[in-house]
Amino acid sequence: MSLLDPFLRGVLACVLPCSVVLLSLLLYVPWPRVVVKAARFLASPFDPFITLPEAKAILRGEPVVADDANARASRPPVWKTMLLSLPALGETLVLIAIGTYNIVLWHQQQEESPVWRIVFPFVKVLPWLYATLIPVVRPQATAPTDLFILHLTFILTATFNLGAQLFNLSAYGIPLPVWWIFSLQVADLIAPILALGAVLSMPIALAANDEEQKEIGKTISPEDYTSLYGWITFAWVGPLVWKGRNKTLKEEDVWDLSPTVKSQALFEKYRTIRKSSTLRSLAVANSFDLIVDAILSYISSACSYAGPFFLKRILDAIADPTPESRSMAFLFAALAFLAGLTKTEVDLQHLWNDRRMSTRLKAELMADIYEKSLRRKDFSGVANKEDPKQKEKDPSVKTQADVGKIVQLMSGDVEKISIMAVFLYNIYTAPFEIAIALVFLYQLLGWSAFAGVAVLVIAAPLNTIMSRRMIKLATGVSAARDKRMGVLTELIQAIKFIKFFAWENQWIDRAMKARQEELNWLVKNFINSLLFRALFANVPALVSICSFWVFVAQGHELTVSTAFTAIALFDMLRQPLNLLPYFVVRFLETSVSFVRIDAFLAEPDVSDDVSSFKRPPPESTIPIDARLGAEEATFKWNENEEAKKKDAPGAEEQVNGAAEAVFELSDINIVFPIGKLSVVTGPTASGKTALLMALLGEMTMTRGKLLLPKDPTQVDEHGLRNSLSYAAQTPWLEQQSIKDNILFGSPLDAERYDAVINACALKPDFAMLEDGDQTEIGARGVALSGGQKARVALARAAYARTKTVLLDDPLAALDSHSARYVFEHLLQGPLMENRTVVLVTHHVDLVLPAAHYLVRMLDGRIDTQGQTKELREKGILSQIVVEEAAQAKEEDKKVEAAEHKDPESEAVEGSKAPNGTAQAPTQTKKARRLVEEEAKAEGSVEWRIYRSYLLASSIAIWGLNLVFIILFQGLSISEKYWIKLWGQHYSIDSAARHVVASTSAWVPNTVEGYIPSIQAIQHVLSPIQGVSGDVNTTGFSPSASPLTMFNLPSARDHPFFYIGIYAAIGMGAANTAVVDCIFQTVAGYRGSKVLFARLLKTVVRAPIRWFDTTPTGRILNRFSRDTQTIDTELPGSLRASVAFLTAFIAAVLTVGIILPAFLLPALVIGVTYYTLTVGYLSTSRDLRRMESTTRSPIFSGFADMLDGITTVRAFSAEKRFFQALHAKIDKTQTFFWNMWMLNRWLLVRFDSLGALAVFLTTLIALSGWIDVGMAGLTITLSMTFTMSVYWTCRFFSQLEMDLNSVERVVEYCDLPSEAPLIIEGHRPPAFWPSNSDSDHFVSVENLAVAYAVELEPVLHDISFSLAAREKIGLLGRTGSGKSTLAMSFLRFIDPRKGRIIVDGIDITTIGLQDLRSRITFIPQDAVLFSGTIRDNLDPFADHSDDDCWDALRRVHLISESRYNTRRSSQASSREPSRPSSPTADDTSVASATVVADERVVITLETQVSAGGANFSQGQRQLIALARALLRQSSMIIMDEATASVDFETDSKIQATIRNEFSNSLLLTIAHRIRTIIDYDRLLVLDAGRVAEFDTPINLLNKESGIFKDMCLKSGTYQELYDAAAKKGAEQK
């Protein structure tokens, strides 16, 4: 039976529409509840993950609704209802009339008229009646799916009916029906087309209100609200394309993301279905997308094989031109065009679906990792001890994730998983395509085809081996990349300190060593990939060779028709053969990322009452419990328990005979008085900060109970929330304005805010700052001094309306009068009334009068606790002479009263407004930005960027790469041409030669010279579409000529001669592709290595001001994502662009030479392509750049949050930070998503044009104007041309996207640099600076310094001289320029005018290496690096162990007894290199270093975590001091170096400084006057000028002065005066 039979056509016209109607009606049947539940269960995997109404509700914080009520309530326009119903009504009436007419006719002619002519019209009435009534009975403003499908079936059946009649007329001469019947049949087609047009014009969703409707296409994406036509064709992307073509896009030009792709909505839904593993969670969340993708992918694969199927039959019909075959050829051409369009639309939908799945899971995983980071225990203070042997076995092994690894999880691993989601379909479609190809081959070659399958079986073990190795290599690359990023993170964060010590070169070497380790893994990975490439290239060639060899060995003739058909199928088989193992390996690589993410998500969390994420919802009946403390508790620092268990057998490392102990807080039993001030004190490293960390829940509690008042929903009668605020010892501030840092997400209360900044003495600072409290503080608060940062953090804690306030030594960073002012106005002021305040401080004498409760820590235990009154009565506080301090304070008040000075205004002197009151300046202009928005290039990528990369990767290598690309294409052409010759040398006629030649032209010739890349295999497209994943580089099959027939033997007699040549050409082409890939790999390796080295050196050598104004995340983004792109993606993009451009040129040349007539349609198509391409390239370029620049804040903010996680959790600010992350993700995803929607827009247009071009060419060929050979050639050329244009456009766009990373790297490679490290002609003597007796050892002459050209000077006309070996104290109120002056000695800021001369040399005339290596600078914030104590003291092994031990002893990090024990245990140890410093009695030393002696044994091998987080602030400063002792510089600058140690230890350190640095010029910036009161001279700065410079006693003997005022306000004036007098007497 034939489908041309009228009966079968009628059955088809009845069954299809009726089936659609029946299925639609079944949805409205009231089924039993059991059936409904079962159906819902079975359909649950098909439920969309999140609907538009659901996403909107989540984003608005409203209850989730099941469907869109707005869509139900809205009605379509009347004209649409009429357009839907009236044609259907007309069809209904016509069919009833036809049925009635047939009944009458049947009664008249019962024997001649069949019954089905009566039945069919009445059956067909039913679906048309449904189409008539539904728009009226159930009006719908959105596009109705049932009517859309129904009218499609109407169009399909009507088209088939008309086509069959036209075919009968053309093939068999059967006349058409009478005119009125034929007209009705035409109307039967027009009616559903009209109705379908109405359906296509209807939107797929409706706006919620008129305001939302107005914003669609402006700020709201039209994606969710476009018409059905706009969705099918992606026309909704068009406005963005044309806007991008006409101008450079800005962020405001791009509409927002669809709510269904927004981070918050996705994560809120994702967390409800989270499973035991990330992979399972994502599989459940994306089940609908996966199922739809599978269905569409299989349809696409089937359509891809329709092209060769129909082409073979078209050429056969041309070869045998009978009316029937010619008609069949037209039919096959139409079906091929339909298959091409179907594949185009299916590809569009399934690739959109893949990209949506990828974008969603990226947002879900990033949010999941971020939320985990907010809940996870802080391991920043845990030193990682990595076993090298274990590391070699498993490179991913690590005790816990550090900041670098966590950031890498969010960037690299999440990106890898999201990319894999896009191409997952290749894994399950490749076997399907292989099966289809093998079936076709079996039909063509018989069992010979399976000889090639045997090659695949043999190659399978090799594939398995390399796949396993690739998994290991991928793990190694990830681990090496994590290690490199860890080093770079540490380097960038500590760059100022590294510059202090002139360690740039050493750290560059360290980073390059980590980079080289990564490159070594990459090389191993490249080699393995090349082996894969060799396997992928040679196996398909061997498959065809073996199959042909077996075929001819069996005595069969390999005719041209058979050969080219088989080669066509082998080439189609080649792509899935290549892709399947490739993507299996990629999936296995991705599994490593899943393991890494799961391992991180499995790390322990803080307890439920610590994290606001985990805190259960409050119950209103629970009374407020504001108690803070612990009951019988023991705490230890957080550690990875699983890693500890694994390392248990050898966990204790013996270092010099002592086991390394673990610090813990033991037997903590305390409840702080509610609403009172409690003071925590104790010697350095006694556990003061640890106690606060324990109270905050940031330590692991091994036993006992923690009392943590942390329920912000509870508010007491004073309006205070039952929660915490916290000021850390090292202030953590965000990269925002000062005001935003103080508010920290709280609403602005102007009165309270003004009171806070006044109490924290910030008003005078605001008056000095040009932008006041709107001043941006930059990365790590670089725009503020140490005291300013401490007071901003203090103000943040005070401003928050919290019941409990924890303050970790904030007074340490303040000078004496500022500390007293803050104490009197804040801690004793109304802002702290009724609040439980726990203050850690060494300023006991200052705060004790107001303290209600005192706790003394010693050796990790509470040594003393109780109310101060009771402790005083018991005599425990006898060491603190409260009475003398109070008396000194009274004397100070008398002096101030005599001078008519108010102590409050005196504390902030020098920052008064004209009316005499300190105030912040009125904001009259927009505040300047310290951290500017990241620069974004505009327009196409400049040639200098191409040139930079080509030069870095070697132009010569890329030239050889181009040669082999051309050679490969030549060999591919030769392969096809040889097959043509082979077939011609059988006894076949010329016409057959033309048939097989034209058939060969349809064989897509793959550009094999590169490993399949993500960009190269976006989708598998069939040749009939005109857009294929393979590239036809030939398309030229000349007909037989004498030149092709000479001196060749008969193919029938010598078949193995031909197969031998064919094998040689095929294997040559395959291995040429491998060699081409080698050149690509070598060039890419060289380019990435050179660019990284340039980037690293330039960044490290950049001025310190640049680091102050550039966020760390922005810098690290260049070293992470951009470097990874240059490493792995850019070489493939460049090579593919060259390959496809070469193929395009070859196609154009072939068209011009062989078939000039084709140039006219090619020109029209080319102009259309050009129009589309220009808009695409411009828009995609801008979107990619904006995506890159908006991605950086995610990771910079993430890294900053990890650094301040304790503060964030203390304030219960996790949710606010999480919301900020959602906003950042949505912002960068907006550009990422629209960039890929742009690709989909281009895909559907290019593929449709390609299918149309092939269809038109086929019709021309069928017209009879050209013979069969030229027909096949013409069709092939049209397909090759359109395909080459498409892939040239796509890969050039991808190349520009990847070159954006080069652009960003080159931008940093061109940064301004500091002065040269070494100036060969001006190197100082080896002994410089010497310990001469010159009174002008250091001379500062008329010095003026500004931080930037556009800023006012900070120092004004400063001049003074310092003598050698002199001890100079540098004083001044906060912001007076002390640190600026100190940094000027190391040329961090070059003078605007004036000069600094050190030992006779102007420091601006010598290199920075010579300068900074000869002067030791001990900075305000001590910085330690990951490694050991030995690594931190002497990172480059310049000193012996004995020297290092001696330095530790002299700064009292180890006691004399510990040091002597160590010396006696080593008989071969030599004497210390320097004389020991005088020591106090053993008791006092033991008291100061009790931790070292009894609890935690500090040795040279003690592990140090990144930043020294496992040491207290005081210990870090002591280690920094020991580091300075080893350098033995003649000039030492100390910037607040002892501000965080207790007074007793401080006195020991000062004694060490006086003795150990006796041969050095010592310039000390100190907040404690007592530390510099016995110095030779004191230099007092005020507002950037020298205010006073004399001996301490002379300054105190002045009637008035800044220094004397400081001493009077310190509360210890007499003590200070006596010390200064004693020093003065010694000087005389």
Side-chain angles (χ1 to χ4, degrees), residues 362-370 410 414 1194-1195 1221 1225:
K362 182 191 290 187
E364 291 159 358
L365 288 179
M366 291 178 75
D368 206 12
I369 293 171
Y370 194 93
M410 270 191 77
V414 170
I1194 295 178
F1195 305 112
L1221 173 81
I1225 291 177

Side-chain angles (χ1 to χ4, degrees), residues 168-181:
N168 286 333
L169 174 64
S170 173
Y172 308 114
I174 300 176
L176 296 174
V178 296
W179 68 269
W180 65 271
I181 294 180

Side-chain angles (χ1 to χ4, degrees), residues 336 468 498 636 652 723 919 932 944 988 1037 1161 1498:
R468 291 176 178 174
I498 290 170
K636 64 178 181 178
E652 291 191 358
S723 56
Q919 62 181 18
E932 297 294 341
R944 67 181 183 88
I988 57 177
S1037 295
I1498 294 180

Side-chain angles (χ1 to χ4, degrees), residues 809 811-816 841-843 1371 1517 1536-1547 1550 1564-1573 1603 1616:
D809 206 8
L811 303 180
L814 308 182
D815 50 54
S816 57
T841 185
H842 294 300
H843 292 71
L1371 297 94
Q1517 290 190 347
E1536 304 178 355
T1538 60
S1540 297
V1541 296
D1542 59 275
F1543 289 122
E1544 189 173 8
T1545 304
D1546 189 21
S1547 63
Q1550 294 305 318
T1564 299
I1565 305 171
H1567 288 309
R1568 296 184 185 137
I1569 301 176
R1570 71 173 66 189
T1571 62
I1572 45 84
I1573 194 65
F1603 178 68
L1616 294 173

Side-chain angles (χ1 to χ4, degrees), residues 278-579:
T278 302
L279 181 60
R280 284 190 60 199
S281 301
L282 294 177
V284 172
N286 296 281
S287 61
F288 174 75
D289 291 330
L290 290 170
I291 293 171
V292 170
D293 182 64
I295 294 172
L296 294 177
S297 297
Y298 284 125
I299 295 174
S300 175
S301 297
C303 290
S304 66
Y305 280 88
F309 178 83
F310 291 124
L311 176 64
K312 180 67 167 61
R313 282 151 182 78
I314 290 171
L315 295 178
D316 287 343
I318 296 175
D320 184 18
T322 64
E324 181 180 0
S325 64
R326 186 169 173 274
S327 300
M328 290 297 295
F330 277 106
L331 175 61
F332 289 137
L335 292 176
F337 177 61
L338 180 62
L341 291 180
T342 302
K343 179 172 170 55
T344 296
E345 185 60 33
V346 168
D347 280 337
L348 173 68
Q349 298 301 328
H350 102 79
L351 290 174
W352 170 84
N353 186 78
D354 290 339
R355 187 57 60 181
R356 182 181 67 169
M357 180 167 56
S358 169
T359 305
R360 282 178 170 179
L361 66 85
K362 182 191 290 187
E364 291 159 358
L365 288 179
M366 291 178 75
D368 206 12
I369 293 171
Y370 194 93
E371 189 207 35
K372 175 64 180 183
S373 301
L374 291 169
R375 294 184 287 107
R376 166 183 173 267
K377 284 185 177 180
D378 184 15
F379 292 102
S380 60
V382 180
N384 293 327
K385 300 180 181 179
E386 299 177 358
D387 184 357
K389 295 182 179 179
Q390 182 67 22
K391 193 76 174 175
E392 180 67 24
K393 295 178 182 178
D394 186 358
S396 66
V397 170
K398 201 166 190 178
T399 52
Q400 62 278 316
D402 55 18
V403 174
K405 182 174 181 179
I406 299 173
V407 173
Q408 181 64 22
L409 288 177
M410 270 191 77
S411 56
D413 291 281
V414 170
E415 185 73 18
K416 188 180 294 184
I417 292 173
S418 67
I419 289 176
M420 189 62 217
V422 178
F423 302 104
L424 185 64
Y425 70 91
N426 287 281
I427 294 179
Y428 46 77
T429 57
F432 176 68
E433 292 185 12
I434 292 172
I436 295 177
L438 289 178
V439 169
F440 282 1
L441 283 169
Y442 173 73
Q443 293 177 348
L444 188 65
L445 299 178
W447 291 105
S448 304
F450 293 97
V453 178
V455 176
L456 300 178
V457 174
I458 296 172
L462 293 175
N463 188 15
T464 303
I465 293 172
M466 286 188 286
S467 297
R468 291 176 178 174
R469 177 169 173 76
M470 185 163 282
I471 298 172
K472 180 180 178 181
L473 293 175
T475 306
V477 170
S478 297
R481 188 168 288 133
D482 289 344
K483 181 178 179 181
R484 171 177 63 83
M485 286 307 300
V487 173
L488 288 169
T489 302
E490 205 167 4
L491 166 63
I492 300 302
Q493 290 179 344
I495 187 64
K496 182 181 291 187
F497 183 84
I498 290 170
K499 288 179 179 289
F500 283 150
F501 278 74
W503 285 346
E504 294 98 324
N505 288 336
Q506 291 91 332
W507 269 90
I508 287 174
D509 292 341
R510 182 175 178 181
M512 288 303 299
K513 182 178 179 181
R515 170 63 172 171
Q516 188 58 51
E517 182 179 343
E518 178 190 13
L519 289 176
N520 291 341
W521 281 102
L522 283 172
V523 167
K524 295 176 184 178
N525 197 37
F526 288 153
I527 293 174
N528 197 66
S529 297
L530 288 173
L531 293 176
F532 259 116
R533 179 67 269 162
L535 187 67
F536 294 167
N538 285 279
V539 165
L542 287 172
V543 167
S544 58
I545 292 169
C546 292
S547 296
F548 288 166
W549 186 85
V550 173
F551 186 77
V552 298
Q554 291 176 342
H556 300 295
E557 285 190 5
L558 188 66
T559 62
V560 174
S561 176
T562 302
F564 275 107
T565 304
I567 289 177
L569 292 171
F570 280 134
D571 279 346
M572 295 193 70
L573 179 64
R574 179 178 301 179
Q575 188 154 331
L577 284 177
N578 286 351
L579 295 183

Side-chain angles (χ1 to χ4, degrees), residues 886-956:
Q887 182 62 36
K889 183 176 181 181
E890 291 298 323
E891 293 176 0
D892 292 345
K893 288 183 179 180
K894 292 178 181 179
V895 174
E896 293 154 2
E899 297 179 350
H900 306 287
K901 291 184 178 180
D902 179 41
E904 296 183 11
S905 62
E906 183 65 16
V908 293
E909 185 179 50
S911 301
K912 295 184 179 180
N915 62 0
T917 58
Q919 62 181 18
T922 302
Q923 297 298 313
T924 59
K925 61 184 181 67
K926 185 177 180 181
R928 293 177 298 107
R929 296 183 63 88
L930 175 67
V931 179
E932 297 294 341
E933 293 291 337
E934 187 168 6
K936 178 176 71 69
E938 295 184 358
S940 59
V941 176
E942 298 178 5
W943 165 244
R944 67 181 183 88
I945 303 300
Y946 286 92
R947 185 173 180 273
S948 297
Y949 182 71
L950 292 176
L951 288 176
S953 55
S954 176
I955 295 178

